[in-house]
Amino acid sequence: MTLDIDRRTFIAGTGLALGGLLLPSRLLATSFATGFTHNVASGEPGQDSILLWTRYVAAAGDHPVSLDAEIALDPQFARIVGGGAVQTGAYRDWTAKLLIDGLKPGTTYFYRFIASDGTKSPVGRTRTLPVGRVPRFGVAVFSCSNAPVGWFNAYGHAARRTDLDLWFHVGDYIYEGGPSRPPRQMEPAYEPISLADYRLRYASYRADPDLQQLHQTAPMIALWDDHEVADNSWEGGANNHQPATEGSWDARKSAAMQVYREWMPVSDEPWKAYRIGDLATIYRTESRLLARTWHPEPDDLMAGGDPGAALKAYRDGAWAAPSGTLLGSVQESWMAHRLKADARETTWQLVGMGTNVGSVLMSEKALGWLAPNAPAAVVNAIRVAATAHSLGMPSLFDNWGGYPAARSRFLRSAQAADANLVMLTGDSHNAWAFDLAEDGRPAGVEFGGHSVTSNGLEKIFTPDAGLVARHLAAASPELRWADTSRRGYMMIDVTPAAVTGEWQFMETIKTRNATVAATHRMTVERGRKRFAA
């Protein structure tokens, strides 16, 4: 499907051309402004509906205010076809969300909000999902956008493309880390814990001009991973949460989830399916905060000084236990039933997941790649990964590698449905292509997305990145290809015959520069469930 109104024309016409974007020194100021402070966004696309988002801060007082919304077929609003009204206030950080129904499938719309004093928001552009026969659909996949590390050039590049219908963010939309420095200084200047902390962190992130442009030009489907709350989260805690000094985990998790739902163009449903005509079904999942069971961290396994003994005990006990889960029994059942039904009605089943499903194995050689001054936590992680490989275990337990029984259940459900399964994943910061198998039979493929900015393996290994990637691919039976050194996003091109993923590698994240330096393409053909040679 090709967008029927030129995106560049729209950007220029709505004041978002490159020269009109916010300067870095003004980013934080928007967090404390009044009026429409953070542009507009849309999400949760349906075949006859769309969710609209904005933020409007009243000039005085904390009393709730009402906003009107208009949706039209043209950016000048000469052909208004719908709208509605929504109330907001300090009780929800002045954010507003409104679902507009009664729209036409596969149609481009323009929308805006209007305050009671007549003030108008910027104009957003969105699109409903198609019905019937769909010859092509384009999706951009993002993950791991740590603002202090670098510029969101991936967002800026994607927003200017004309061949993409939808944004899909698979997690780590913000990071909860502590102090940062100008020009990428995020507030608060400490690790968020409370409701007010997380609201300020989102306000800082959403002030970024490239992220605003992305949201303004197409709808987004989004799911959270761990950094929206704290590093390596699970249902009952997180590696980066210390109850003794940071209080209740439940209170922190609840605050972070509330703010995510305030600031993001998402519904409150924890998981959901989106149908792209007869071409594909896209699934938004939740695998981090609601049902995920505990797994050990590398430091836990090194605590006794003998990772081999600790790993053997873990392997023979909790690691393989059928009670281990990322999705929980309710979501597992929902997914199995949806895959079975959707595989009969749509060609492709595209499942968004926060973490990798495919396994990367790491041998003892990796210990020799570490810099002499590598932090102890990094050394421990690589030592545990190498030892795990020698014991027949994957190198990482924070992804599906730590939940083998749950992984088997999921892949078997895809096989039972005869699904054309395509996993779209993030979290690892690096780019991967996996052939997924279960019981010796192909189950689908995985396009593992690299980060928008977050550091990859190039920050801890000294050898050439190409050597590292080739070694990992040779050691890991499921891994077909990898890049461990570059940042960017994935473009997923879906047709009835094939799904092609193209990793976009940005030239830099150190300066604001939306130039793509290189790409890599992989294709899976319908019915093959393995990447083409």
Side-chain angles (χ1 to χ4, degrees):
M1 180 185 305
T2 301
L3 297 177
D4 55 4
I5 297 180
D6 182 71
R7 193 186 305 271
R8 293 182 182 88
T9 301
F10 167 67
I11 291 169
T14 54
L16 267 185
L18 187 60
L21 292 172
L22 293 170
L23 295 173
S25 61
R26 293 178 56 201
L27 289 181
L28 189 56
T30 65
S31 302
F32 305 99
T34 59
F36 290 102
T37 63
H38 285 79
N39 213 301
V40 295
S42 67
E44 300 295 344
Q47 296 172 333
D48 64 353
S49 64
I50 198 76
L51 183 72
L52 307 181
W53 180 96
T54 195
R55 183 172 187 261
Y56 180 84
V57 180
D62 292 335
H63 297 293
V65 296
S66 293
L67 304 173
D68 293 323
E70 294 178 336
I71 192 163
L73 293 171
D74 63 296
Q76 292 78 33
F77 289 82
R79 294 178 290 167
I80 296 174
V81 296
V86 62
Q87 191 173 104
T88 187
Y91 61 93
R92 57 170 300 112
D93 205 16
W94 303 100
T95 62
K97 294 193 291 190
L98 179 66
L99 184 71
I100 303 293
D101 275 316
L103 304 177
K104 293 182 178 180
T107 302
T108 297
Y109 289 98
F110 299 85
Y111 63 94
R112 65 188 177 189
F113 290 86
I114 305 173
S116 58
D117 63 358
T119 305
K120 295 181 175 65
S121 73
V123 175
R125 179 180 183 278
T126 193
R127 189 173 179 87
T128 51
L129 299 180
V131 299
R133 183 177 179 275
V134 179
R136 180 196 171 272
F137 198 82
V139 182
V141 181
F142 308 95
S143 69
C144 304
S145 40
N146 191 348
V149 173
W151 293 93
F152 292 163
N153 294 327
Y155 292 154
H157 184 269
R160 291 166 176 78
R161 293 181 69 146
T162 60
D163 57 348
L164 295 169
D165 301 278
L166 181 71
W167 315 134
F168 197 3
H169 205 294
V170 295
D172 295 342
Y173 181 95
I174 67 158
Y175 272 68
E176 87 289 8
S180 54
R181 299 177 180 177
R184 301 291 283 169
Q185 183 172 346
M186 298 293 110
E187 296 293 334
Y190 50 83
E191 185 179 325
I193 297 173
S194 70
L195 192 70
D197 294 342
Y198 282 106
R199 283 172 168 172
L200 188 53
R201 183 59 57 93
Y202 274 90
S204 294
Y205 267 74
R206 289 293 297 273
D208 181 89
D210 291 309
L211 181 51
Q212 287 195 9
Q213 183 177 346
L214 187 81
H215 277 299
Q216 190 178 358
T217 53
M220 177 181 284
I221 296 172
L223 57 94
W224 60 49
D225 192 38
D226 56 340
H227 286 290
E228 286 86 356
V229 187
D231 183 42
N232 284 9
S233 306
W234 60 286
E235 181 184 9
N239 183 47
N240 194 30
H241 180 77
Q242 293 74 42
T245 56
E246 296 174 327
S248 161
W249 166 249
D250 287 340
R252 182 178 186 179
K253 182 173 73 169
S254 177
M257 290 169 61
Q258 176 180 329
V259 176
Y260 183 88
R261 287 168 172 158
E262 290 173 349
W263 276 85
M264 298 293 289
V266 298
S267 66
D268 289 346
E269 298 144 295
W271 49 81
K272 193 172 180 179
Y274 309 80
R275 182 160 174 175
I276 316 297
D278 67 347
L279 181 63
T281 305
I282 296 177
Y283 305 86
R284 168 168 63 81
T285 62
E286 199 292 317
S287 61
R288 181 60 72 172
L289 300 177
L290 301 184
R292 177 190 280 244
T293 51
W294 176 86
H295 68 85
E297 297 291 336
D299 286 349
D300 298 328
L301 297 166
M302 289 292 295
D306 183 359
L311 278 164
K312 286 178 183 177
Y314 177 49
R315 180 194 63 186
D316 298 337
W319 180 64
S323 58
T325 182
L326 288 87
L327 303 180
S329 60
V330 175
Q331 190 179 182
E332 283 188 15
S333 176
W334 173 84
M335 179 63 73
H337 283 89
R338 284 303 308 242
L339 286 174
K340 188 174 182 179
D342 294 334
R344 294 194 293 262
E345 298 181 356
T346 59
T347 301
W348 298 98
Q349 291 71 52
L350 310 178
V351 180
M353 196 72 66
T355 57
N356 291 137
V357 180
S359 293
V360 176
L361 306 182
M362 201 168 292
S363 75
E364 292 281 349
K365 289 183 180 179
L367 288 167
W369 298 342
L370 294 171
N373 60 346
V378 171
V379 175
N380 285 348
I382 299 304
R383 188 174 301 280
V384 167
T387 307
H389 183 194
S390 69
L391 296 172
M393 303 170 76
S395 62
L396 193 63
F397 303 131
D398 186 53
N399 62 18
W400 284 77
Y403 304 84
R407 184 190 128 120
S408 292
R409 291 193 298 267
F410 172 63
L411 294 180
R412 285 171 184 161
S413 71
Q415 291 172 329
D418 195 24
N420 282 297
L421 178 68
V422 176
M423 300 300 304
L424 305 175
T425 64
D427 184 68
S428 75
H429 306 176
N430 303 289
W432 317 97
F434 295 101
D435 282 334
L436 303 175
E438 181 63 28
D439 298 326
R441 297 183 294 119
V445 302
E446 178 179 355
F447 292 93
H450 49 322
S451 64
V452 171
T453 60
S454 301
N455 295 323
L457 291 178
E458 80 281 0
K459 288 297 181 181
I460 64 171
F461 288 149
T462 56
D464 172 76
L467 183 151
V468 172
R470 289 191 296 273
H471 169 80
L472 295 177
S476 308
E478 293 184 327
L479 183 59
R480 291 288 303 276
W481 169 85
D483 182 280
T484 63
S485 65
R486 295 179 287 187
R487 316 276 71 83
Y489 70 101
M490 294 190 297
M491 201 287 279
I492 306 297
D493 190 89
V494 188
T495 70
V499 173
T500 299
E502 185 173 87
W503 289 265
Q504 310 286 313
F505 299 111
M506 308 310 297
E507 184 176 277
T508 184
I509 60 170
K510 297 305 179 186
T511 60
R512 192 150 176 260
N513 175 5
T515 302
V516 169
T519 63
H520 182 81
R521 292 167 66 91
M522 298 282 286
T523 296
V524 56
E525 298 169 355
R526 179 179 182 175
R528 291 291 303 275
K529 304 178 185 179
R530 294 177 59 87
F531 282 114

